[in-house]
Amino acid sequence: MPLMAQSSSEADFLSVNKIFTNHMVLQRDQPIHIWGKGLPGATVRVELTARRDVSVNLAASLSDAAASRQVSAVARVKGDSTWSVYLPAQSASTMPHDVKIISDKKNILISNVLLGDIWICIGQSNMEWPMQREMYYREAMATANQPLLRFYNPTYAGKNVFNQYFSDSVLQMMQPEKFFAPTSWQVSDSNSFRTMSAVAYYYGKSIIENTQVPIGLINLSIAGAPLETFIGVDALKSDERFAAKAIEPWLTNPAIPVWVKERGNQNLRAGTNHPFKPGHVYEAGLKPLFPLAIKGMINYQGESNAQELERVWEYGALTQLMVQNFRGRFQQPMLPYFFVQLSSIDSVKYKGQYWHLFRDEQRKIMERVSYSGMAVCTDYGLKDNVHPTNKKMVGERLARWALNKEYGLSIVPSGPLPLRAEYANGQLQITFNHAIDGLATADGKPLRGFSLDGIHEVSARIQKGRLQIGKAVSSGAEMIVIDCEKQPEYIYYDWKPYTDGNLVNREQLPTSTFKIKVHLKKQQ
């Protein structure tokens, strides 16, 4: 009898890495790397075979012809007991496959495997937020059975332990190799999707509905996590701007966000390992995945890095370092990185007084990081709650970037993003990207949200004009016009923590918070 994906104690001389389990997705269009351990000197054969007798989708397989043949690879176990093989790249397929790993008389069977795209999901509580607490959870139950959508959704040590010390057993689980609990891939259904990240679920579901490409989601989000925990310590040390973040003890390190250290000190009476420690989730969850081929990364994070000005101003460069780190370690220099901009919140009950500055720094990440995109969600923020429960809108807006940039769909990926502000003859004109089909107000009322000083709102209007993006020129494009007697230094939009700006494009997607310099318009 073949062993199932997680080998038993009788097969200690043959094992496969824990990421490989039944119901998983293997990355399409890239060589398929599979690795494990065995008896030194032994031969290991890995076979990938389509199961022609069954399909998880009523539609034809995306690549039935390619799926009809078996592919295999052979390796010899090294002296350190490790083995590794690469199978040839395969096209996407909705047809279930079996992976069989054979060495002497022992074998491991991994079944119901699809070929599609793997997205790694990181972030803090708004990414972790589960479907069972999401606004549209009850409605979503009806369509939760998504055979092309697969989750790898481990829980982690110390989850939901606040304002108290970790127990001895939790402290022992803080070691990176024990931090994430053992789990296996699951097919999306009304049971498995309950604890899955709601943002990630809606993201994957939207891609499948539009492309029929199988999607695998690996969820490594951690409530409260600062960005630093997702970045390797070596990467931090290698950058003189952020080397101080790697200095121990991190619990008293002035380069770490204050709130993050407060939480760490509440939990730790011994040791330094903690979900918020710089590099911890990187070591525990991301580093073990680097040999795996993936499609890209999505992230919803920032609240823990937005409470002090120094942390706000560094966030764009810190994100750039993180993405460079991922791309180097995954050996994918064009690895897509799509992220969610913080929403909006009042600063009366929450320390969100810098959120507008932070959102603008997030907007600039798209200029720093190639192959990136940002979902704007300021219109769904709550005045006194950092956890808006409408994650459906967030996940679907995030998916727009992927559908446009990675799946080639003719879909508007974003709300208006500012291109340029120019002043001439008593008028300030602001042009936007992602507004080629026109601008509007979300509520049909006069425009709100514009300011010349970041404090006092000014009247603005939508007007047709001439827009140039690269070499393309549109004479009928719409822009924002503001009457003012003299040239201002900057133009601001939604420049406060809790926003009420109402500028959208024809897709009803909101405009990002921004502060941009005003230029004197060259006379034609």
Side-chain angles (χ1 to χ4, degrees), residues 317-360:
L318 190 62
T319 299
Q320 184 178 22
L321 175 65
M322 179 185 73
V323 176
Q324 288 172 344
N325 193 17
F326 292 159
R327 289 174 174 172
R329 295 305 301 269
F330 278 110
Q331 298 183 43
Q332 294 180 233
M334 296 184 291
L335 189 77
Y337 175 72
F338 302 130
F339 63 99
V340 182
Q341 186 185 51
L342 290 191
S343 62
S344 56
I345 197 167
D346 204 339
S347 56
V348 175
K349 297 182 180 180
Y350 184 83
K351 196 174 180 181
Q353 65 268 34
Y354 301 130
W355 271 35
H356 51 303
L357 287 79
F358 191 84
R359 291 193 301 262
D360 199 37

Side-chain angles (χ1 to χ4, degrees), residues 50-65:
R51 292 177 57 191
R52 301 289 294 175
D53 58 314
V54 62
S55 175
V56 298
N57 189 28
L58 293 177
S61 168
L62 295 178
S63 184
D64 281 348

Side-chain angles (χ1 to χ4, degrees), residues 98-112:
D98 288 338
V99 175
K100 194 172 185 180
I101 304 165
I102 307 160
S103 183
D104 194 18
K105 296 180 180 179
K106 300 180 176 66
N107 59 68
I108 297 171
L109 177 65
I110 306 171
S111 62
N112 191 22

Side-chain angles (χ1 to χ4, degrees), residues 153-167:
N153 186 30
T155 191
Y156 57 89
K159 185 172 182 176
N160 297 328
V161 180
F162 311 122
N163 302 315
Q164 59 182 296
Y165 286 133
F166 288 151
S167 66

Side-chain angles (χ1 to χ4, degrees), residues 94-322:
T94 62
M95 184 174 295
H97 287 61
D98 288 338
V99 175
K100 194 172 185 180
I101 304 165
I102 307 160
S103 183
D104 194 18
K105 296 180 180 179
K106 300 180 176 66
N107 59 68
I108 297 171
L109 177 65
I110 306 171
S111 62
N112 191 22
V113 175
L114 301 182
L115 295 161
D117 289 337
I118 297 174
W119 292 88
I120 295 179
C121 317
I122 62 173
Q124 51 186 108
S125 53
N126 274 309
M127 178 63 90
E128 185 187 84
W129 197 263
M131 277 300 301
Q132 61 191 0
R133 299 177 67 188
E134 200 271 335
M135 179 182 290
Y136 298 104
Y137 169 62
R138 294 199 177 278
E139 293 93 325
M141 291 277 285
T143 56
N145 292 338
Q146 296 283 331
L148 301 186
L149 183 57
R150 311 294 175 89
F151 311 136
Y152 190 83
N153 186 30
T155 191
Y156 57 89
K159 185 172 182 176
N160 297 328
V161 180
F162 311 122
N163 302 315
Q164 59 182 296
Y165 286 133
F166 288 151
S167 66
D168 289 342
S169 60
V170 170
L171 285 173
Q172 291 176 2
M173 299 301 290
M174 282 294 150
Q175 299 173 52
E177 62 273 15
K178 296 181 179 179
F179 178 68
F180 284 106
T183 190
S184 59
W185 286 86
Q186 296 175 299
V187 181
S188 175
D189 60 32
S190 58
N191 181 51
S192 66
F193 94 140
R194 291 185 300 112
T195 58
M196 182 58 186
S197 159
V199 169
Y201 169 79
Y202 286 117
Y203 175 84
K205 181 172 179 282
S206 181
I207 292 175
I208 290 169
E209 288 175 344
N210 283 278
T211 68
Q212 288 299 299
V213 173
I215 297 294
L217 301 170
I218 299 176
N219 181 24
L220 300 179
S221 55
I222 305 287
L227 197 68
E228 289 87 343
T229 192
F230 300 105
I231 306 173
V233 170
D234 287 345
L236 292 171
K237 289 179 177 178
S238 71
D239 191 314
E240 62 181 11
R241 297 169 298 178
F242 303 118
K245 291 181 179 290
I247 296 173
E248 291 284 6
W250 71 274
L251 292 167
T252 56
N253 186 339
I256 302 300
V258 172
W259 180 84
V260 167
K261 290 180 292 189
E262 290 174 353
R263 274 285 303 275
N265 281 297
Q266 289 170 1
N267 292 147
L268 293 177
R269 64 175 182 272
T272 65
N273 283 335
H274 189 279
F276 298 175
K277 179 181 178 179
H280 188 76
V281 176
Y282 176 93
E283 288 291 328
L286 289 161
K287 187 176 179 179
L289 296 176
F290 289 145
L292 186 71
I294 66 168
K295 179 65 175 179
M297 311 278 299
I298 59 173
N299 186 15
Y300 189 171
Q301 193 279 335
E303 297 89 345
S304 292
N305 291 79
Q307 296 189 4
E308 303 118 56
L309 275 176
E310 190 174 359
R311 305 285 81 83
V312 171
W313 299 136
E314 73 183 9
Y315 190 78
L318 190 62
T319 299
Q320 184 178 22
L321 175 65
M322 179 185 73

